[in-house]
Amino acid sequence: MKTDTTRGLVLLVDDNPANLKILYETLNGRGYKLLVADSGAKALSIAQKMQPELILLDIMMPGMDGYEVCRRLQQNGLTESVSVVFLSALDDTDAKVLGFELGGVDYISKPFQVKEVIARVDTHLRLRLLEKALGQQNKELLIDNSSILRAMGEGIYGLDKSGQIIFANPAACRANQCEVDTLLGQRFVELQFSGRGAVPGQSSGAATEFDHERMIRHVEKAMADDESIRVEQALFFRPAGGFFPASFQLTIVPDSASSTHAVVVFRDISDKLAQDRELEQARLKLEAQRAQLTHVSRLSTMGEMAAGIAHEVNQPLTAIVNYARLASRQLVSLKNRVTATRELEAAAETLEKIEQQSLRASDVIQHIRDFVRKPTEGKARLSATELADAIIQLTGIEAKQHAMTLKVDIDPSLPELRVEAIQIQQVALNLLRNAMEASLSTASNTVHFRVYHDKAGDNHVHFEIEDRGSGVTEENQPFLFNPFFTTKKTGMGIGLTLCQNIVQAHGGRIGYQPAKQNDPAVESGSLFWFSLPVLAE
């Protein structure tokens, strides 16, 4: 009677030995494990002990009929899931209906047809084995899901259609500092948004209530409209008092056959907000240090240009002194004369020249004062042409000191920019001074300064500084804008880095290319450039 058990365990129940023999011989050798019982009582005992997948159960038996056996099988937790196929010579529809109502899955009429018995047994065993496999998979899935939900760091609520919490994972309990029973049965919006505790930065509870009232309406509307929502920052009140900042997402469960209508996933963002505040403080501190370093760089530049500035200012001052002396002598000679028209005209011209030279010296000093002071007004609307002119005036001093020629090519119709003028002047002056220094070691004494508007390209104003010096070696080019990288013997390596920071803070770009890339006929030299976005209309 030992057979392969891979196809399932079948219990044959009939009070007629002949019928049992026929069923046994029909199914034997087909891979089933077969059990037999000749009464209802024996069938129940064997079923409870062995728990077969399928029972072929005769209805008409003395003592306990098949209906009663089926009823008792359904009432026993160990046998309630057994598939029962009734066997009977009855051809009464009501009898068949009663069998199905009691939990039977099929009906085989006597006398038996071998092929029919085999086919029905095979079919119901396959179904039963599939049900068991599916049940096991569901059980494992539930265990896995439960483990995942318990392990998740985010709080999770399951909400029914009315918004009541019907599920809460351990993380939700930890965030609310309470047991799960405190959360279950409460409406989500009332639990998390109806607190009346004081909130930092709020002078009274009124503002807090208004904000949470709005949030309650927002969530309830989403639930009513079956819409999922995400809120990056909210304030969750705890049941026992207190609160915590949280981000949350409410997701509607589509076409759910379960009682869960929506799922809320939330996270306590206290640490994140603290980190954001620390990052903002660090950013402000870094910005202040950058501004200080930029200011120090300007002062250093002015220090290096001091000799040229002194000469530039000394020329108009010397002229003023000479013109003043001449005017004094002219006025003395006119002291006792009644008519001296020609002498008066000469004196007037002399005084006019004094005024011109005074204004010239004043302009130089004013440009220097503007350049070295710390800017406080921030970015302002400015014509790119005015900006370029100011750069040329500052650079002219350096060019004269080094006997350099500054070749200027300025687009006559430049648009407006939004910039901190002093900082952009610093970038251009730094690049122009570098170009002049590079040209000193060569026979060339000309530096090109070009400013143009690229309307068809990136709609930026481009500033280009080109020299005919020895250029930058190919291996050094990738490191030009790195902090503390320099090829100068006395350089600190912060000039180009500051230039890059300033330009990028204005939404622009800065770069380098060999001069021959711009003009193949050139053998050496460098071309540094930066561009700034045009002010939007």
Side-chain angles (χ1 to χ4, degrees), residues 211-324:
D211 181 66
H212 284 75
E213 292 280 345
R214 180 184 61 80
M215 187 62 69
I216 289 173
R217 291 195 299 271
H218 184 42
V219 174
E220 288 183 336
K221 183 178 185 303
M223 291 282 290
D225 297 342
D226 289 346
E227 293 181 352
S228 298
I229 59 172
R230 181 177 183 84
V231 177
E232 294 298 335
Q233 187 171 339
L235 196 65
F236 278 24
F237 287 99
R238 294 187 173 100
F243 47 84
F244 62 95
S247 64
F248 73 92
Q249 180 166 339
L250 182 146
T251 304
I252 301 299
V253 179
D255 301 325
S256 175
S258 70
S259 57
T260 302
H261 177 67
V263 174
V264 176
V265 179
F266 68 93
R267 179 191 294 272
D268 185 337
I269 58 173
S270 301
D271 292 342
K272 178 180 180 300
L273 293 180
Q275 291 174 358
D276 289 346
R277 287 191 294 270
E278 290 177 0
L279 286 174
E280 178 63 14
Q281 292 173 357
R283 187 192 67 79
L284 293 175
K285 184 176 181 181
L286 183 63
E287 183 67 20
Q289 291 175 344
R290 185 190 67 79
Q292 182 66 24
L293 184 60
T294 302
H295 181 61
V296 170
S297 176
R298 284 199 297 274
L299 294 176
S300 175
T301 299
M302 282 294 99
E304 294 173 1
M305 296 172 62
I309 293 171
H311 178 72
E312 187 71 14
V313 175
N314 189 57
Q315 282 186 332
L317 290 178
T318 301
I320 289 171
V321 172
N322 292 334
Y323 285 133

Side-chain angles (χ1 to χ4, degrees), residues 57-335:
L57 179 60
D58 185 24
I59 294 177
M60 303 304 292
M61 292 186 298
M64 186 187 299
D65 64 14
Y67 293 139
E68 181 62 23
V69 172
C70 185
R71 184 180 292 108
R72 295 193 183 188
L73 288 171
Q74 293 294 316
Q75 293 173 352
N76 190 324
L78 295 175
T79 58
E80 62 181 351
S81 61
V82 176
S83 298
V84 176
V85 176
F86 285 110
L87 307 172
S88 179
L90 298 175
D91 197 21
D92 184 1
T93 300
D94 290 340
K96 292 180 179 180
V97 171
L98 178 58
F100 288 127
E101 289 177 350
L102 291 172
V105 297
D106 207 347
Y107 197 99
I108 298 177
S109 299
K110 296 178 182 180
F112 306 127
Q113 299 295 322
V114 173
K115 290 184 178 180
E116 180 185 4
V117 172
I118 294 172
R120 291 181 185 272
V121 169
D122 279 346
T123 298
H124 288 295
L125 275 178
R126 281 198 302 271
L127 289 174
R128 178 62 189 140
L129 292 174
L130 285 173
E131 287 177 0
K132 289 180 68 175
L134 183 59
Q136 181 62 29
Q137 289 178 358
N138 286 339
K139 183 178 180 181
E140 293 173 356
L141 184 60
L142 286 174
I143 293 173
D144 290 343
N145 287 344
S146 177
S147 299
I148 292 171
L149 290 175
R150 290 180 177 279
M152 287 185 68
E154 292 84 0
I156 300 176
Y157 293 139
L159 309 183
D160 64 12
K161 187 70 175 178
S162 68
Q164 282 192 344
I165 298 174
I166 58 176
F167 169 81
N169 73 336
C173 299
R174 290 193 297 271
N176 284 283
Q177 298 178 356
C178 65
E179 299 297 326
V180 67
D181 292 341
T182 305
L183 303 176
L184 297 182
Q186 294 206 51
R187 294 187 71 238
F188 166 64
V189 292
E190 293 175 356
L191 170 71
Q192 307 287 201
F193 302 123
S194 294
R196 294 295 182 265
V199 180
Q202 307 266 357
S203 58
S204 68
T208 302
E209 291 178 19
F210 173 79
D211 181 66
H212 284 75
E213 292 280 345
R214 180 184 61 80
M215 187 62 69
I216 289 173
R217 291 195 299 271
H218 184 42
V219 174
E220 288 183 336
K221 183 178 185 303
M223 291 282 290
D225 297 342
D226 289 346
E227 293 181 352
S228 298
I229 59 172
R230 181 177 183 84
V231 177
E232 294 298 335
Q233 187 171 339
L235 196 65
F236 278 24
F237 287 99
R238 294 187 173 100
F243 47 84
F244 62 95
S247 64
F248 73 92
Q249 180 166 339
L250 182 146
T251 304
I252 301 299
V253 179
D255 301 325
S256 175
S258 70
S259 57
T260 302
H261 177 67
V263 174
V264 176
V265 179
F266 68 93
R267 179 191 294 272
D268 185 337
I269 58 173
S270 301
D271 292 342
K272 178 180 180 300
L273 293 180
Q275 291 174 358
D276 289 346
R277 287 191 294 270
E278 290 177 0
L279 286 174
E280 178 63 14
Q281 292 173 357
R283 187 192 67 79
L284 293 175
K285 184 176 181 181
L286 183 63
E287 183 67 20
Q289 291 175 344
R290 185 190 67 79
Q292 182 66 24
L293 184 60
T294 302
H295 181 61
V296 170
S297 176
R298 284 199 297 274
L299 294 176
S300 175
T301 299
M302 282 294 99
E304 294 173 1
M305 296 172 62
I309 293 171
H311 178 72
E312 187 71 14
V313 175
N314 189 57
Q315 282 186 332
L317 290 178
T318 301
I320 289 171
V321 172
N322 292 334
Y323 285 133
R325 290 173 178 171
L326 177 60
S328 178
R329 289 195 298 271
Q330 290 172 334
L331 291 174
V332 169
S333 67
L334 294 174
K335 185 175 181 181

Side-chain angles (χ1 to χ4, degrees), residues 406-422:
L406 183 63
K407 185 176 180 181
V408 178
D409 183 8
I410 307 294
D411 188 337
S413 58
L414 292 175
E416 290 188 325
L417 307 172
R418 186 172 185 80
V419 297
E420 287 192 38
I422 300 303

